[in-house]
Amino acid sequence: DYVVEISAKTGHGVDQLIKYIIENIPPPIASNESNFNALIIDAFFSQYIGVTCLIKVKSGKLEKNDKIVLSFNKKIYKINELGVFIPEKNFLKTLSEGDIGFISFTAKNLEEIHVGSYIHSELLNVDYIVIEKNIMSKVYANIYPIDTNKFLLLKKAILKLSLNDSSLFF
């Protein structure tokens, strides 16, 4: 066991911690699998960019303009942007196995993304991909806007919430 005294406020000990991590925690082991496979960790929507997903790359690599398939709906999308947050967006040419980064692609509808589902290479046979089963919610609620003219605004807000919370079903 190794203990490093650190302070996030002053930065004391951070150098020793980083050195310890580099020397003692091994990098991910490459699986030699060429097909791209990634888990969607989080997602958010921008009116200008569209859908951006935070992903963990399980195998393979992904480049800008590559095409992917979502296991949730078997639809094919083209990658517009990819990179990592450090903490601001840092655009890259490639995301590879073991990377945690972001991708932006051509999905325009919030219902097309499902946090917790997988992304695959377009090269993978789409018929081979198993569509994941939705887990049905156990809590039921009725939500209505006070002003009935704002029903579409409420629906849009719930769609955005469902993008980040895969347990929300409506």
Side-chain angles (χ1 to χ4, degrees), residues 136-141 169:
M136 293 304 295
S137 303
K138 301 295 183 199
V139 177
Y140 299 92
F169 177 78

Side-chain angles (χ1 to χ4, degrees), residues 9-52:
K9 185 175 181 179
T10 66
H12 170 75
V14 173
D15 291 340
Q16 292 92 337
L17 178 63
I18 292 172
K19 182 179 177 185
Y20 178 80
I21 290 171
I22 291 170
E23 292 173 354
N24 294 289
I25 299 178
I29 298 170
S31 66
N32 295 328
E33 188 177 323
S34 61
N35 288 329
F36 178 77
N37 183 13
L39 174 68
I40 299 176
I41 299 170
D42 197 3
F44 45 93
F45 182 78
S46 165
Q47 190 174 1
Y48 304 104
I49 298 171
V51 173
T52 299

Side-chain angles (χ1 to χ4, degrees), residues 112-124:
E112 296 178 50
I113 309 303
H114 189 255
V115 173
S117 64
Y118 283 87
I119 298 171
H120 305 282
S121 168
E122 183 205 19
L123 301 174
L124 193 62

Side-chain angles (χ1 to χ4, degrees), residues 124-148:
L124 193 62
N125 184 350
V126 176
D127 294 330
Y128 170 77
I129 297 171
V130 177
I131 292 183
E132 298 155 357
K133 295 179 182 177
N134 283 335
I135 298 171
M136 293 304 295
S137 303
K138 301 295 183 199
V139 177
Y140 299 92
N142 292 322
I143 301 173
Y144 300 98
I146 294 172
D147 181 357
T148 56

